[in-house]
Amino acid sequence: MSDFSFIPPTSVVTIPGAHASAAFTSKTSEVFKEEHNIAPIIINDRMKYITWGGDNQMPYNIIDLIESDETMSTCQMFNAEVCYGSGLVYDTKLATAQVQSQVDDFMLDNDLASYLLGVCQDFKHFGFCVSVIILNEDASRIVRIVRKQACYSITSRLQTPSEQYLQSRGHN
């Protein structure tokens, strides 16, 4: 028997003395399999959230896996850029001068190109994104839009309210 310890865990290797190759892959269902039971973390009597895996580190582990493999990192960035496309394009030719001015001010205050690329990366890494929309004082206009990095977001993991809580608030 030959020692196969030199074979990388995920690779395609030519079999010596044969006109064939063998593919070695990790069992993908095991990559993020948790060793611990995942239970909701209780914040107070009305709110709980679900951890990111058993040790609450899954998004960081995903990022580490992506960044540790040059091919994976390049492919993930390519996927995000394809999702991004030509970026955001806006056209105010038919708008009034006042609307044009408001749009120009909004674009100066918000780096939408960076925002959209970050959102695309979150979608490709985690399958969702979190955006914070900030309104003016009378809530009549959006003044700012901000990407909250998905891996740092607790609000995206809040558990649905219990039936008892909904009923206590008059929801049936």
Side-chain angles (χ1 to χ4, degrees):
M1 276 263 173
S2 178
D3 178 20
F4 290 102
S5 63
F6 68 92
I7 298 174
T10 56
S11 63
V12 176
V13 177
T14 302
I15 299 172
H19 296 290
S21 296
F24 298 90
T25 63
S26 297
K27 188 174 179 184
T28 56
S29 64
E30 300 289 323
V31 172
F32 293 112
K33 188 172 184 175
E34 293 298 330
E35 297 173 9
H36 311 92
N37 287 334
I38 300 173
I41 302 297
I42 298 169
I43 296 172
N44 58 39
D45 63 334
R46 300 180 318 169
M47 196 180 313
K48 304 177 201 173
Y49 73 94
I50 303 299
T51 62
W52 283 104
D55 61 358
N56 206 24
Q57 296 296 305
M58 187 178 286
Y60 310 105
N61 296 341
I62 291 171
I63 291 169
D64 288 344
L65 284 171
I66 290 168
E67 290 177 351
S68 69
D69 184 312
E70 186 177 329
T71 303
M72 171 70 86
S73 181
T74 303
C75 289
Q76 282 295 84
M77 192 59 195
F78 172 79
N79 290 340
E81 288 171 352
V82 167
C83 183
Y84 177 80
S86 296
L88 294 172
V89 178
Y90 68 98
D91 182 2
T92 58
K93 286 183 217 162
L94 301 177
T96 65
Q98 180 185 5
V99 169
Q100 288 177 355
S101 175
Q102 290 173 344
V103 169
D104 289 341
D105 288 346
F106 180 83
M107 296 302 287
L108 286 172
D109 292 339
N110 293 276
D111 183 0
L112 292 186
S114 174
Y115 162 80
L116 181 60
L117 185 58
V119 164
C120 293
Q121 287 174 315
D122 284 347
F123 269 121
K124 293 301 174 183
H125 287 28
F126 309 112
F128 73 97
C129 71
V130 180
S131 295
V132 178
I133 297 173
I134 301 169
L135 304 174
N136 62 354
E137 284 185 31
D138 65 354
S140 64
R141 190 173 66 241
I142 297 172
V143 293
R144 190 133 191 254
I145 186 164
V146 179
R147 167 186 166 240
K148 181 159 175 138
Q149 289 182 306
C151 63
Y152 300 115
S153 172
I154 194 172
T155 57
S156 60
R157 301 177 283 148
L158 291 178
Q159 192 172 358
T160 55
S162 68
E163 286 297 319
Q164 179 183 8
Y165 176 76
L166 290 173
Q167 288 173 357
S168 72
R169 299 291 186 250
H171 301 280
N172 295 327

